[in-house]
Amino acid sequence: MIEVKGVSKAYGGKPVVDNVSLTIREGCVTSFIGPNGAGKSTLLSIISRLLQKDGGEVLIDGRDVAQWKSTELAKKISILKQSNHVNLRLTVRELVSFGRFPYSQGKLTKEDWSKVDEAIAYMDLSDLQHKFLDQLSGGQNQRAFIAMVIAQNTDYILLDEPLNNLDMKHSVQIMKVLRRLTEELGKTIIIVIHDINFASCYSDYIVALKDGRIVKEGPTETIIDSAVLQHIYDMDIPIELINGNRIGVYFK
Amino acid sequence: MKLWMLIAALAIMSVASLFIGVKDISPLDLFSMTTEQWQVMNISRIPRLVSILIAGVGMSIAGLIMQQLSRNKFVSPTTAGTDDSAKLGILVALLLFPAAATMHKMLIAFAFALAGTYVFMKFMDRLKFKDTIFIPLVGLMFGNVINAATTFFAYKNDMIQSITSWLQGSFSSVMSGRYELLYVSLPLLVVAYLYANKFTIAGMGEEFSVNLGLNHRLVVNIGLVIVALVSVVVILTIGTIPFLGLIIPNIVTLYVGDNLRKSLVHTALLGAAFVLACDILGRVIIYPYEVPIGLTVGVIGSVVFLYLLMRRKAYEA
Amino acid sequence: MKLKLTLLAALAAAVIIAFLFVDLPHNWDYALPRRLKKVLAIALTGGAIAYATLIFQTMTNNRILTPNIIGLDSLYMLIQTFVIFAFGVVSLPSTNQNVNFGLTVGIMLLFVGVLYRLIFKREGNNLFFLLLVGLVMGTMFGSMSTFMQVLIDPNDFLIVQGKMFASFNNVNTKLLLLSVIVIAGVALYASRFSKYLDVLSLGKEHAVNLGIPYNFVVKNLLVIVAILIAVSTALVGPIAFLGLLVVNLAYQFMRTYRHRILIPGSMLISIIALVGGQLIVEQVFTFETTVSVIINFIGGAYFLYLLLRESKA
């Protein structure tokens, strides 16, 4: 279980995350939504120890992030940020194999390699696995990095705007994979996402942030609601029910 | 800092500068100066003051333009290979035309430095500002390549020390007849002022400028030619003054912001004031000897720069 | 991969043998041990610089940086200039190599320590910030050295000038031995971090995600790099471009990201370049120039070529 207790972070005196407390439900997809500058990505980075917090604590399975041994934590929780430019000439398979580092410390066993193959198959990358990353399109690249995170085989997977720069087809493809990861493998997934409709269709819980604070959190249908969204985004967003999904019509 | 404060400080120091030196001249003598005192004023003190002002203004502006164009606060003209090309030029002048007059040697070195900077600009053109962090580093590398050639010949002819002393920034040898090359930079600075807005736009990037109907490459080239020429002229008459082009624009940005038209005047005045203050300090600190400007600015400048860096860090971290 | 490494090893051996035996004078029992010592010094510094540069580039995720930019070269020159300026040519720190070596290494490590404390004291250790600060300090040291170099007697200056270039001609046996021990010890210590290097080259965020104790590793590696550069510079003098040249050549030739291969590869290339360069300096230029001038020239030109090639792509 991930518990966030009174976490704060400020840049140059300006609070970006302000005394946030939160419990993440296991085996679910949780989305962080909110306007630009709400502190979503910062909070995600703090939970995953990429960023130091100024105050508060983040407990993962009851133990503070700072108390975990980094290698052990890497078997529990993984994070993928949005810009994943790597300056190396790597093939997809080589990249994915890095996901096994926490287990193998660089010396991959047969079992490690079979996990790598599984992850590649899971992301439908088998045909591309010997291609170099710089030969791939943006969507394929993103899938390769997600495959690496899958190979890392952690209980908690954190993704910072995984749909950034992807077209509709690839966005749907990735969201479906995330759903499968929770449903088939019981993973707990947290994503930062801008499109409230993707959040609505694919997540179980939504945490809405604004100005570094949690405005509201709860099951998806309680957040995707005109009154709540009005409060978060300061704009009128009518909600329509389409094929059983709650869709915000905010285009006009 | 207000503009009038800068102007006042500059004026006071300028007057003070005229009356500091081994030959005792006090402001009271002004209306009853002996011929000798007049000579000292005309041949040494006034040229010195003028060259300090021009060098201070020129190098700061050159740094500012360079930083605007590259959108990188840590780029300065001294990292464009200009220095090292000038050094090679001086060496060639000393080796091939040992009998030539100083002015001629200067012209030879000038041609070299310009050519070197132009070659570097060509390199940069190919790089298309792809990543601004590369530019100062490429410049350093480029300078090192030229430097290796210089060292090769200087080592063979035992001239490393004389080259070093020539390029050390110092105003002590400025005299009428030996600094007039500096005036070349005055029209360039006027052009810089006229183009100020365009540099700001060009700094936003090629696509941004094209969208606003600006000939991006032309503006960038004009900027770089100004930078190169001003630097060359200062290096050849005074020597290298490290950090000047780096710290002055950075300080000004802190209190005026990034609009070039606005910050240009501040940068020019602050640059002149800073060099003047350093020069006066260098002249009084071990009076009657003097510490060369290269050292005073080098030490004070790096301390100031480090302070700026730390401050910046405190904001960002 | 194995083949390429073997090829490099063979080439390195060939260059070393050529260096030892070409034009060997008749009194070989005097000349050969001297040449052996020289070749050992070259191989040691070449290897250490290549290793340090490779680690440094991996840490900074940048192929065009060298550890020299944190100001160690300029500091070395400042120390050497200051010794002559303040104490004179005949003073103890100037004539006694042991004192000079100890002084230089000591001050350099002190400098790195101060720099390091200054920067890592604050949260969010930023390596590029450190580089910039180092660069600034380097320029400051440079202007101080220039000041003194202009003032000292031209005859004394020749001594300073001699220090500007890496020289393998007068390496002190005791110091060489000491350096071998220090560098071997550091390399041994560094080997416990070598498994992290591949992951570090992915960048900070991926490295942290994959469970690398990032701050700990980077701080340790930085100290390792500093010691290697300090010792090799104090032993023979500065060769700024060597590391950049050989590490990039190694990347180009070995075509891999695996440090297990890159480390020996770049070290071998470095040894080939330095020993070969020294051979050319001695046989072709008859000591009219120094190997560091040649390396800087070739290294710089190669570097510009790399940049231009990349900018076209």
Side-chain angles (χ1 to χ4, degrees):
Chain A
M1 193 162 65
I2 299 181
E3 293 163 276
V4 179
K5 290 183 179 168
V7 163
S8 297
K9 174 80 185 173
Y11 287 120
K14 192 175 160 282
V16 178
V17 172
D18 191 2
N19 196 12
V20 166
S21 297
L22 177 69
T23 304
I24 304 291
R25 283 164 187 77
E26 292 198 28
C28 294
V29 175
T30 303
S31 293
F32 287 2
I33 63 165
N36 293 332
K40 311 177 291 285
S41 294
T42 309
L43 182 59
L44 202 73
S45 292
I46 290 173
I47 295 175
S48 60
R49 71 174 170 336
L50 288 187
L51 262 184
Q52 301 278 320
K53 52 195 178 288
D54 295 343
E57 48 184 355
V58 174
L59 301 179
I60 290 175
D61 290 352
R63 195 148 34 122
D64 193 279
V65 167
Q67 253 122 51
W68 278 88
K69 232 186 121 199
S70 199
T71 320
E72 291 306 309
L73 201 56
K75 297 176 192 168
K76 271 276 161 213
I77 184 168
S78 52
I79 169 122
L80 189 63
K81 298 281 285 181
Q82 43 176 312
S83 58
N84 288 301
H85 181 69
V86 165
N87 228 345
L88 300 177
R89 217 175 134 72
L90 288 178
T91 64
V92 171
R93 194 175 153 82
E94 283 168 340
L95 177 77
V96 176
S97 73
F98 273 105
R100 298 306 294 169
F101 186 83
Y103 303 89
S104 62
Q105 300 293 305
K107 293 200 184 85
L108 273 70
T109 62
K110 234 181 204 152
E111 196 202 328
D112 287 319
W113 281 114
S114 71
K115 290 275 185 201
V116 170
D117 290 331
E118 276 172 37
I120 289 172
Y122 211 90
M123 288 313 291
D124 205 7
L125 286 165
S126 303
D127 296 341
L128 300 172
Q129 60 174 318
H130 296 297
K131 288 235 184 220
F132 284 97
L133 290 179
D134 50 15
Q135 300 169 321
L136 302 184
S137 72
Q140 291 166 335
N141 240 304
Q142 183 75 339
R143 270 156 61 204
F145 277 99
I146 292 180
M148 173 178 119
V149 168
I150 293 174
Q152 203 178 333
N153 194 25
T154 54
D155 297 344
Y156 309 104
I157 299 173
L158 279 53
L159 302 165
D160 192 354
E161 296 194 32
L163 308 184
N164 206 12
N165 291 326
L166 295 189
D167 58 25
M168 289 171 294
K169 182 183 160 203
H170 288 112
S171 298
V172 169
Q173 190 182 14
I174 281 176
M175 292 310 287
K176 281 187 171 155
V177 166
L178 298 184
R179 264 315 330 155
R180 272 174 64 202
L181 283 172
T182 52
E183 280 157 18
E184 292 172 10
L185 304 175
K187 305 285 184 197
T188 304
I189 294 177
I190 310 176
I191 52 175
V192 167
I193 194 161
H194 264 292
D195 189 326
I196 55 166
N197 292 331
F198 268 116
S200 168
C201 293
Y202 290 96
S203 46
D204 303 296
Y205 286 89
I206 294 182
V207 177
L209 289 119
K210 188 183 182 183
D211 300 330
R213 298 211 179 98
I214 293 180
V215 185
K216 195 168 165 72
E217 57 167 315
T220 303
E221 57 275 14
T222 63
I223 306 291
I224 304 300
D225 171 273
S226 278
V228 176
L229 291 176
Q230 165 80 39
H231 184 52
I232 301 167
Y233 291 101
D234 290 323
M235 68 186 278
D236 193 29
I237 303 178
I239 303 294
E240 303 276 344
L241 205 64
I242 300 172
N243 294 340
N245 292 313
R246 301 169 72 83
I247 302 296
V249 188
Y250 54 78
F251 302 101
K252 272 193 167 177
Chain B
M1 218 179 313
K2 291 277 187 300
L3 205 55
W4 67 264
M5 285 162 72
L6 260 181
I7 294 172
L10 193 59
I12 293 168
M13 282 194 295
S14 301
V15 174
S17 164
L18 288 177
F19 299 100
I20 297 171
V22 177
K23 176 78 194 155
D24 207 18
I25 306 175
S26 98
L28 295 175
D29 298 336
L30 201 56
F31 300 102
S32 58
M33 265 201 262
T34 62
T35 345
E36 200 196 343
Q37 283 175 327
W38 261 119
Q39 270 179 352
V40 171
M41 269 292 170
N42 269 334
I43 294 175
S44 161
R45 298 281 169 84
I46 293 173
R48 181 173 191 143
L49 177 63
V50 171
S51 59
I52 288 170
L53 296 179
I54 295 181
V57 171
M59 290 307 287
S60 316
I61 297 286
L64 180 64
I65 293 175
M66 198 115 182
Q67 286 155 27
Q68 288 277 339
L69 288 180
S70 61
R71 272 187 300 168
N72 184 330
K73 287 269 177 278
F74 303 124
V75 171
S76 81
T78 34
T79 57
T82 315
D83 248 16
D84 297 288
S85 315
K87 208 168 167 178
L88 181 61
I90 292 170
L91 182 80
V92 168
L94 289 175
L95 283 180
L96 298 183
F97 310 100
T102 314
M103 208 62 178
H104 291 152
K105 285 182 187 157
M106 276 184 174
L107 283 175
I108 293 166
F110 179 83
F112 261 85
L114 198 62
T117 315
Y118 184 74
V119 170
F120 176 68
M121 276 157 49
K122 278 285 151 203
F123 271 138
M124 260 203 305
D125 209 27
R126 297 279 280 279
L127 293 171
K128 284 183 185 152
F129 287 108
K130 200 165 67 177
D131 186 337
T132 40
I133 193 122
F134 276 116
I135 291 177
L137 287 164
V138 174
L140 285 174
M141 299 297 173
F142 180 68
N144 269 300
V145 177
I146 295 171
N147 211 6
T150 311
T151 319
F152 184 85
F153 294 113
Y155 188 75
K156 269 182 140 175
N157 295 287
D158 279 332
M159 291 182 68
I160 292 183
Q161 193 178 21
S162 47
I163 295 277
T164 309
S165 68
W166 189 317
L167 278 182
Q168 180 181 35
S170 167
F171 288 105
S172 57
S173 57
V174 168
M175 265 187 270
S176 73
R178 292 179 67 178
Y179 78 105
E180 282 77 3
L181 195 62
L182 275 175
Y183 287 120
V184 172
S185 52
L186 288 179
L188 295 173
L189 295 175
V190 174
V191 177
Y193 188 74
L194 295 177
Y195 265 76
N197 282 336
K198 291 183 180 166
F199 292 140
T200 309
I201 295 170
M204 301 288 191
E206 188 170 355
E207 283 158 19
F208 191 92
S209 333
V210 171
N211 178 41
L212 290 176
L214 195 76
N215 186 339
H216 181 257
R217 185 178 285 190
L218 180 75
V219 173
V220 169
N221 280 342
I222 288 176
L224 290 176
V225 166
I226 293 175
V227 167
L229 279 173
V230 170
S231 318
V232 163
V233 161
V234 172
I235 289 168
L236 290 175
T237 42
I238 311 298
T240 44
I241 310 178
F243 291 118
L244 196 57
L246 206 58
I247 53 166
I248 302 297
N250 269 297
I251 296 174
V252 171
T253 302
L254 279 182
Y255 72 87
V256 183
D258 268 333
N259 188 323
L260 193 52
R261 178 81 74 155
K262 236 160 114 193
S263 54
L264 208 61
V265 180
H266 282 266
T267 306
L269 292 175
L270 188 68
F274 181 74
V275 176
L276 193 51
C278 285
D279 185 65
I280 292 175
L281 186 73
R283 270 191 276 172
V284 296
I285 204 165
I286 50 167
Y287 185 86
Y289 304 102
E290 59 177 83
V291 183
I293 193 79
L295 183 65
T296 29
V297 175
V299 173
I300 298 175
S302 40
V303 172
V304 172
F305 186 53
L306 288 178
Y307 171 74
L308 286 176
L309 276 175
M310 298 284 178
R311 232 178 89 106
R312 220 185 167 78
K313 183 78 183 145
Y315 276 109
E316 281 166 8
Chain C
M1 287 302 166
K2 279 253 170 66
L3 184 74
K4 283 183 183 170
L5 278 183
T6 320
L7 203 72
L8 283 179
L11 196 56
V15 177
I16 289 176
I17 288 170
F19 185 81
L20 287 176
F21 294 107
V22 167
D23 260 351
L24 191 66
H26 287 301
N27 53 344
W28 62 270
D29 49 338
Y30 167 73
L32 197 60
R34 271 186 65 90
R35 287 192 177 187
L36 261 174
K37 207 176 73 185
K38 213 175 187 179
V39 102
L40 180 63
I42 296 174
L44 184 74
T45 42
I49 290 172
Y51 186 46
T53 309
L54 180 63
I55 296 181
F56 190 75
Q57 293 195 345
T58 297
M59 252 169 25
T60 51
N61 291 312
N62 200 316
R63 290 273 179 82
I64 62 162
L65 295 178
T66 92
N68 298 292
I69 70 174
I70 58 174
L72 286 177
D73 283 358
S74 326
L75 182 60
Y76 173 79
M77 276 322 296
L78 179 62
I79 297 168
Q80 299 307 329
T81 311
F82 182 76
V83 161
I84 304 238
F85 179 75
F87 307 123
V89 179
V90 291
S91 68
L92 190 66
S94 168
T95 49
N96 186 321
Q97 289 187 330
N98 294 335
V99 174
N100 191 307
F101 181 82
L103 195 73
T104 312
V105 173
I107 294 178
M108 279 176 161
L109 292 184
L110 194 72
F111 167 68
V112 174
V114 169
L115 202 64
Y116 176 95
R117 284 200 71 94
L118 208 69
I119 286 148
F120 289 115
K121 204 175 59 183
R122 288 179 204 266
E123 185 219 316
N125 71 77
N126 186 338
L127 269 175
F128 285 96
F129 183 62
L130 180 132
L131 300 187
L132 204 55
V133 172
L135 199 69
V136 174
M137 304 286 268
T139 313
M140 182 168 82
F141 296 149
S143 39
M144 290 172 168
S145 316
T146 306
F147 171 63
M148 288 186 272
Q149 283 169 12
V150 170
L151 288 184
I152 54 181
D153 182 86
N155 291 321
D156 295 357
F157 181 77
L158 286 180
I159 312 268
V160 176
Q161 178 180 310
K163 302 275 191 185
M164 282 180 187
F165 309 104
S167 156
F168 303 102
N169 294 326
N170 297 310
V171 177
N172 179 316
T173 314
K174 257 193 229 152
L175 290 182
L176 181 59
L177 224 64
L178 182 68
S179 307
V180 169
I181 294 168
V182 172
I183 288 179
V186 170
L188 198 68
Y189 180 70
S191 65
R192 55 188 285 224
F193 298 106
S194 54
K195 65 180 178 191
Y196 296 134
L197 291 174
D198 288 349
V199 184
L200 275 184
S201 52
L202 288 179
K204 180 179 175 180
E205 283 173 349
H206 287 296
V208 173
N209 172 46
L210 291 172
I212 289 186
Y214 185 82
N215 286 351
F216 176 75
V217 172
V218 163
K219 286 177 186 179
N220 271 284
L221 288 179
L222 198 66
V223 172
I224 289 167
V225 167
I227 295 176
L228 289 177
I229 296 291
V231 170
S232 53
T233 307
L235 186 68
V236 299
I239 329 176
F241 270 90
L242 179 70
L244 197 71
L245 174 66
V246 299
V247 171
N248 275 298
L249 278 179
Y251 270 110
Q252 222 180 10
F253 183 62
M254 309 307 287
R255 297 217 155 268
T256 180
Y257 64 92
R258 289 198 180 84
H259 286 76
R260 208 154 32 86
I261 293 157
L262 285 172
I263 291 172
S266 57
M267 286 167 75
L268 285 171
I269 292 176
S270 181
I271 290 168
I272 294 168
L274 263 192
V275 177
Q278 185 71 20
L279 193 64
I280 292 171
V281 166
E282 293 185 6
Q283 303 295 336
V284 181
F285 290 95
T286 53
F287 290 102
E288 272 187 357
T289 185
T290 76
V291 68
S292 62
V293 171
I294 294 184
I295 294 269
N296 276 1
F297 195 75
I298 298 175
Y302 172 74
F303 171 76
L304 290 175
Y305 154 76
L306 275 186
L307 279 179
L308 285 184
R309 200 191 55 168
E310 198 170 303
S311 67
K312 266 187 225 161

